[in-house]
Amino acid sequence: KKEDIAAAAQNHLENLICKIVKHYLKIKPSKNICMAGGVFANVRVNQKILEVDGVENIFIQPHMGDGGLALGAAIGVPFILNREKSKLDNMFLGPEFSDKDIEIALKKYKNISFMKKDDLVPSIIEALSNDKVVGLFQGKMEFGPRALCHRSIIYHCKDVNINNWLNKRLKRTEFMPFAPVTTEELAPKCYQGWEKNHIASKYMTVTYNCTPEMAKDCPATVHIDNTARPQVISKNDEKLMHRILTEWYQKTGGLSLINTSFNKHEEPIVCNPYDAIDGLVDCQVDVLAIGSYFVTKK
């Protein structure tokens, strides 16, 4: 069966990569392993590396593909020239749009209703409570293949069938479960072995074995092997999403929310306001939280 072939290939890859890591740890012992390249989009492999004896932490270039080469070069050149270190606090390196830009776009559509709000969180929580798929379009766009709550689709984690019906709406064919987004305060309840200094979890580049509580509370985000690939966020890093998650937990006890990229199959993640509004009109999402505006279809 193709599933067995895939499982065998995955097992072979994990064994090879871990063998390479162990080999170089003997040559130059280190508690920290840094990785870049397309192989490390395989988040299960990254978990296996983190579990190697002696390894305490891992870092994966967040754009773990050819696109990350440009970023690596930009960071590397000043270090090579004068040992100047660059610090990346986030991956929000893409374009940003003002409320004025967004309102201009919104007014060009006749089949939507929108309202500017001082606080989007209550409307988002209400929509999630009513089983609405929410599109998020906030701040600067993410750099790399992961949506990190600036160009994301969010939903609650209770519906085990969501992998079928939402992927159908998005014209995707993935069998993997959707990834969860979790606050760092709740992460210990969800992921075995997670530590606050695990920077890979900030960028959705590693899986963890889930706790029984997580598996029970958020079945839509837990894979058949009891792992999940979370984005774990802090209040300082992501204020809006942190508030959404905190108030969702206070209202429902839900430990996480689904976070998947805001795009259709074989199309890039939405970039500008028109892309996001088209996603609403095209029924990819039920409501849209864009800038300071909450948008619905008429």
Side-chain angles (χ1 to χ4, degrees), residues 13-202:
L13 177 63
E14 291 172 7
N15 290 338
L16 284 175
I17 295 293
C18 288
K19 186 176 180 180
I20 292 169
V21 170
K22 291 173 183 177
H23 170 76
Y24 283 101
L25 284 176
K26 291 177 182 177
I27 297 173
K28 188 173 182 180
S30 175
K31 297 178 180 179
N32 303 307
I33 307 295
C34 296
M35 296 160 280
V39 170
F40 302 107
N42 190 313
V43 288
R44 176 67 175 171
V45 164
N46 300 339
Q47 178 184 352
K48 289 295 186 179
I49 295 169
L50 184 58
E51 292 172 350
V52 169
D53 287 343
V55 175
E56 293 184 2
N57 209 343
I58 60 173
F59 172 77
I60 298 96
Q61 148 71 272
H63 195 324
M64 67 306 282
D66 290 346
L69 295 174
L71 180 59
I75 293 172
V77 167
F79 184 75
I80 292 168
L81 293 178
N82 57 19
R83 314 305 284 181
E84 178 185 338
K85 294 182 180 179
S86 301
K87 183 179 180 182
L88 280 176
D89 292 320
N90 58 63
M91 278 292 110
F92 303 122
L93 306 177
E96 183 175 20
F97 300 87
S98 67
D99 278 346
K100 183 178 179 180
D101 296 327
I102 291 167
E103 186 170 338
I104 290 171
L106 289 168
K107 286 181 176 178
K108 293 187 177 181
Y109 291 77
K110 305 299 183 184
N111 52 349
I112 61 172
S113 299
F114 61 90
M115 183 177 294
K116 191 172 186 179
K117 294 179 178 286
D118 294 329
D119 185 3
L120 288 169
V121 174
S123 298
I124 293 172
I125 295 295
E126 181 181 6
L128 292 169
S129 299
N130 291 324
D131 298 332
K132 301 293 185 183
V133 179
V134 178
L136 287 182
F137 185 100
Q138 301 291 321
K140 292 184 177 181
M141 184 181 178
E142 302 89 338
F143 176 76
R146 304 282 190 243
L148 301 171
C149 297
H150 281 204
R151 303 290 189 273
S152 289
I153 292 173
I154 62 172
Y155 193 72
H156 64 74
C157 303
K158 301 288 186 182
D159 187 353
V160 293
N161 296 313
I162 188 173
N163 206 57
N164 295 321
W165 64 261
L166 184 53
N167 272 327
K168 188 174 182 179
R169 279 176 67 169
L170 299 173
K171 298 179 174 62
R172 298 178 187 170
T173 57
E174 295 181 20
F175 70 93
M176 296 287 287
F178 291 111
V181 56
T182 313
T183 64
E184 63 179 19
E185 291 84 359
L186 293 174
K189 287 177 172 284
C190 303
Y191 312 114
Q192 297 176 23
W194 178 84
E195 299 288 345
K196 191 173 181 179
N197 68 343
H198 283 181
I199 191 170
S201 68
K202 182 177 176 179

